[in-house]
Structure formats: structure tokens, C-alpha cells
Amino acid sequence: MESVFGLVGKDFAIVVADSSAVHSILVHKTNEDKIMILDSHKLMGASGETGDRAQFTEYVQKNVALYQFRNGIPLTTAATANFTRGELATALRKNPYMVNIILAGYDKDVGPSLYFIDYIASLHKVDKAAFGYGSYFALSMMDRHYRRDMTVEEAIELVDKCIREIRSRLVVAPPNFLIKIVDKDGAREYAWRESIKDAPVPVAAA
Amino acid sequence: MSRRYDSRTTIFSPEGRLYQVEYAMEAIGNAGSAIGILSKDGVILVGEKKVTSKLLQTSASTEKMYKIDDHVACAVAGIMSDANILINTARVQAQRYAFAYQEPMPVEQLVQSLCDTKQGYTQFGGLRPFGVSFLFAGWDKNYGFQLYMSDPSGNYSGWKAAAIGANNQAAQSMLKQDYKDEITREEAIQLAIKVLSKTMDSTSLTSEKLELAEVFLSSGNVKYKVCSPEALNQLLIKSGVTQPAAEAS
């Protein structure tokens, strides 16, 4: 029931993911961060098998860092996407990673870009993408309202429309979402959209 | 000297030298020379062909210049059979990178990767080092045009102008005197021809004894062009190194 989706704007890209960590009927936590910051200008939102998601995104993050240490220059978003797809493809017929990925990045020469990489190692460069049951609603909303070169405000309006649809129409809808953005100034957290907040934990008396 | 430390690559001599690596460089010092010059609109490589016989089949293949990938080429000095192995290794490494990243391999990374291979032969395995020096000429979007020189030890560095093979020291000092930072490709070709004509042993310079290759950009794409014998002849005449064919009076 995890939802991850993303879109490209005028000179930025956004990745949104739900933040529930679920085990069968139990919700472990509602503030899980599923959008890995790979380097200064790349975001990797992932959904799927919990262990695989955490381990694989960390693996990609460390390889991206290693490349930069070895070669003094960062990987481009396209190269990162192809590398990621290659790793999924190599493992596919032996020990597949059950992870779906939306990779967003900003390169100075190319601008913002978004890549759809599914668990069987398909790779597509796209303007908008979504995974999970939420994708039925997110893609429909984006097909209706998405335009090229949207501003951040317009894009966030569309993101909120998607979240609203997922919350109201999906039977076991995740309550909270995390939005991250990447642009020329870097990759960073943009906002949370919470409908359930944990009760504040009392502090023990000194 | 300490001759008993010669025969194994995997040991140092008491003076801290690797004799096998040094002997490999000796072998290259007797081979046909090659010069590379970096200009602002391209890199040129000029090589001296040692094997000149009328019987030689001058087909499309070259003796000194090889294309590694669409954006990188190299000139070779030393044992040709060793060079072929390394050129193939470099080509595989470049394609492996392109397969993984769907982008051309940055030139320095390619050179570094090949040099790591060469270094292995100076440290373990008990195999002798490769008797080849390379001049790599290439372009990538990170650093533009680049020229690298590598030797049997696995060392490499980037150069504005470099020479390998016979008389490379004399060639290198001549290049140091005449190289200017804003040199154009045509001027670089003329400089290379001039330097080679002075350092080569042969009395006259003809297009059969030379190979010239250029790496440059054309409509945004990297081009590698080996000069035809006719065009090379024209260049030699222009630089005053050969006399034009005598007119029948």
C-alpha cells in the first residue's frame, strides 16, 4: 500500500512518498523517510520490500559517493539511473531486489530530470511517474492537471491534489506523506503532509 | 650493478629501483617516436613509422595510432604485440563503462584504469611489465580536450605537449621551447612535424614514414581523423621539411 510519485517542474523536480512503515496489520511508524538523498543534487524515492528498499538505496548512495571520491566529479543523474538499473538487472535472475524507484536529479547542463525504475529493472526517463496502489489516483490526477514548466507553487498544488485523492479513495490509505525537492540549489526536504501526528512524548523529570 | 635483482619484477633492488620496469622503458627508447600536442581546438598525435618497406600492405590499418572509443585515441611507442593487448583492454574498459552508465568514459578515468592494469604487472603475478608507452588524446564534457602520457610503471600525467619513444628527451625540450598555450590545431601540427623532423634519425621525411591523427570537435561530436598520405605530404611541404616534387622542366 506504499505510494511514491514524482514530477518535473520548470527547473526543479519533486518526489513524494508516504511515510508509513507497515508490518502485516501493524503500523510500526508513520514518519518513515523513504526518499534517500543520494548526493547534493539527487533524490531517490523508493517503495517495496522494506529491507531491500533501505539496503538498495543505501548501496546506490554509497556507490555515488565512491565515484565522486575516486574521480573528483559527480555522476550525472542519467548515469546514476543507468547504474541503478544495471544493478537491479544483474540481481534480477538470481536474487532480485523488490524495490521500485523514482530517481530525481538536477544537472547544470541538462536541468531537472526524473527516472522511473521498477523492480524488474525497466528504466524510463519521464516527466511524471508513480508506484503502488496510489499510482492509480496520482497518475490520473497528473494526467489531468500536469503541464510542462510548472512553478513550485503550481507543482505543490498538484501534489496536494494527488495526496487528497489517495487519502480519500484508497481503502488503507497512508496518513502521512513526505515531499522532497531538487533544484539548482540542491536536494532537500520540502514539507510533510501529516494527518496523524504521534502524541508528544512526556520527558522524564530530572 | 645489482644484477641479481633484475629478473623478478616483484622485488625492489637495494637502491629501491624496479629494474624490470626500467628495462621496459629502455625497450621503448629504441622504438619509433610519437609526439602529442594539446591545442585549443583539438589534440594532435604524430608518430614515426619504423617499418617502411615497399612490400608492406598499407591497408586501412595504422601502425602507431589507435582508436579506443569514439572520443579517445592513442599513439603507441614500444613493443607492438604488448601494445595490442593493452589497446584491447582499454577498449573493453571503455565499453564496460558505457554499458554501465550509458555515457562515454571520462578520458582520465580510462587512462587511470589502464594504468592500474599496468601497475599490476609491476607488483604481482611474476609477469614482466608491458613494454609500451602511450599518448592518449581525447575529449570529454568535464575537461574538454586532454592529452595524457603513460609508461610501463603505470604512472600517468596530463600534458600540454609530450613525446615518447626514440629521442623523446630531445623532442620534449624542443616542445617546451616552442609550445604556446593558445596554439591552434594547424600550428600544433606544424610544430609536431618540425620537432619530429629534427629528432628522427632518417635523413628525409616523407609521408610514408609518418602517421598523423587529430581528435577534434565537429558539429558537437568528437571526431578522430587519421591524415591521408596525400594530405600529409602537403603538410610536410608546407612546413618546409620536404621539397615539392620536382617539376619536369
Side-chain angles (χ1 to χ4, degrees):
Chain A
M1 304 296 179
E2 295 184 334
S3 296
V4 183
F5 60 96
L7 52 107
V8 175
K10 183 160 170 52
D11 43 16
F12 63 93
I14 282 179
V15 178
V16 185
D18 77 284
S19 52
S20 56
V22 168
H23 193 121
S24 167
I25 57 167
L26 174 68
V27 178
H28 278 296
K29 58 195 293 218
T30 52
N31 59 354
E32 171 86 346
D33 183 350
K34 299 178 189 172
I35 308 178
M36 178 74 86
I37 293 184
L38 294 184
D39 74 5
S40 62
H41 287 76
K42 290 180 194 52
L43 288 175
M44 178 177 268
S47 71
E49 194 69 55
T50 311
D52 280 354
R53 170 175 51 75
Q55 196 266 342
F56 186 72
T57 53
E58 263 183 52
Y59 175 69
V60 175
Q61 187 194 54
K62 296 326 180 212
N63 270 282
V64 167
L66 179 62
Y67 183 97
Q68 178 142 22
F69 280 121
R70 272 188 177 144
N71 302 308
I73 46 169
L75 273 171
T76 59
T77 307
T80 308
N82 277 289
F83 167 77
T84 303
R85 188 216 94 89
E87 291 300 302
L88 290 169
T90 307
L92 182 62
R93 306 261 175 204
K94 289 202 169 103
N95 193 6
Y97 291 104
M98 302 301 285
V99 199
N100 296 310
I101 284 165
I102 294 190
L103 175 67
Y106 185 91
D107 304 289
K108 249 206 286 255
D109 46 352
V110 168
S113 49
L114 194 71
Y115 289 87
F116 167 103
I117 309 172
D118 74 7
Y119 73 103
I120 37 179
S122 316
L123 172 67
H124 296 292
K125 184 177 187 302
V126 291
D127 287 334
K128 50 188 162 4
F131 279 112
Y133 284 120
S135 69
Y136 290 109
F137 309 106
L139 281 173
S140 303
M141 290 312 280
M142 291 197 284
D143 282 348
R144 173 71 182 83
H145 294 292
Y146 177 87
R147 293 167 328 275
R148 283 254 174 84
D149 296 334
M150 291 196 290
T151 63
V152 180
E153 291 72 33
E154 290 167 336
I156 293 295
E157 238 182 77
L158 176 50
V159 164
D160 282 328
K161 282 196 169 84
C162 296
I163 292 175
R164 202 172 306 129
E165 284 303 299
I166 295 172
R167 273 190 181 141
S168 57
R169 292 297 183 186
L170 189 52
V171 61
V172 197
N176 298 341
F177 288 83
L178 172 58
I179 305 173
K180 290 198 184 177
I181 188 172
V182 61
D183 61 17
K184 69 177 187 346
D185 300 320
R188 58 194 179 278
E189 208 175 274
Y190 181 85
W192 285 87
R193 295 287 188 250
E194 290 170 305
S195 56
I196 288 183
K197 221 174 154 64
D198 284 337
V201 181
V203 181
Chain B
M1 255 189 299
S2 320
R3 286 282 155 184
R4 54 176 121 144
Y5 300 99
D6 287 9
S7 47
R8 307 238 317 260
T9 54
T10 49
I11 52 177
F12 282 108
S13 77
E15 298 93 44
R17 295 158 69 171
L18 292 170
Y19 278 114
Q20 282 302 305
V21 175
E22 289 181 23
Y23 296 161
M25 306 213 225
E26 267 300 305
I28 296 164
N30 299 325
S33 35
I35 289 180
I37 302 184
L38 181 66
S39 77
K40 46 183 195 151
D41 53 338
V43 194
I44 60 123
L45 296 169
V46 185
E48 170 199 358
K49 289 205 274 203
K50 274 291 196 182
V51 193
T52 49
S53 159
K54 264 200 312 215
L55 295 174
L56 196 64
Q57 178 76 290
T58 46
S59 51
S61 65
T62 53
E63 183 187 312
K64 303 285 289 181
M65 313 290 173
Y66 296 91
K67 193 174 178 191
I68 306 290
D69 196 354
D70 285 332
H71 63 298
V72 185
C74 70
V76 158
I79 303 175
M80 281 317 303
S81 43
D82 284 9
N84 282 333
I85 304 290
L86 283 173
I87 287 165
N88 187 55
T89 306
R91 286 172 172 160
V92 171
Q93 284 164 352
Q95 292 311 308
R96 203 172 279 146
Y97 185 100
F99 176 68
Y101 297 104
Q102 297 298 316
E103 274 180 1
M105 189 171 192
V107 186
E108 182 168 358
Q109 286 182 42
L110 176 60
V111 175
Q112 188 157 29
S113 172
L114 192 67
C115 285
D116 286 347
T117 306
K118 291 207 259 188
Q119 188 277 344
Y121 287 77
T122 70
Q123 193 171 24
F124 41 77
L127 304 170
R128 66 164 174 81
F130 290 94
V132 202
S133 276
F134 285 102
L135 286 172
F136 287 97
W139 183 93
D140 63 45
K141 67 175 166 51
N142 308 112
Y143 295 112
F145 289 109
Q146 297 149 74
L147 174 69
Y148 294 95
M149 177 166 76
S150 79
D151 63 27
S153 66
N155 271 326
Y156 76 90
S157 39
W159 293 85
K160 296 178 186 174
I164 52 176
N167 296 326
N168 65 323
Q169 271 159 323
Q172 194 87 30
S173 43
M174 251 183 261
L175 286 169
K176 192 157 98 166
Q177 275 186 315
D178 294 332
Y179 180 84
K180 294 180 319 280
D181 273 327
E182 289 304 301
I183 199 173
T184 65
R185 217 161 78 225
E186 281 95 48
E187 290 169 342
I189 293 174
Q190 291 301 314
L191 174 58
I193 290 175
K194 192 179 84 173
V195 170
L196 254 190
S197 69
K198 297 221 174 87
T199 60
M200 263 167 73
D201 288 334
S202 24
T203 42
S204 67
L205 213 57
T206 61
S207 62
E208 282 124 37
K209 297 203 184 115
L210 285 188
E211 247 171 46
L212 165 66
E214 299 170 73
V215 176
F216 57 96
L217 282 176
S218 170
S219 4
N221 295 320
V222 191
K223 291 269 182 287
Y224 162 75
K225 202 185 72 170
V226 181
C227 205
S228 66
E230 300 78 37
L232 188 49
N233 229 348
Q234 290 304 313
L235 286 167
L236 287 171
I237 292 171
K238 196 166 108 176
S239 75
V241 159
T242 14
Q243 305 309 313
E247 301 280 320
S249 43

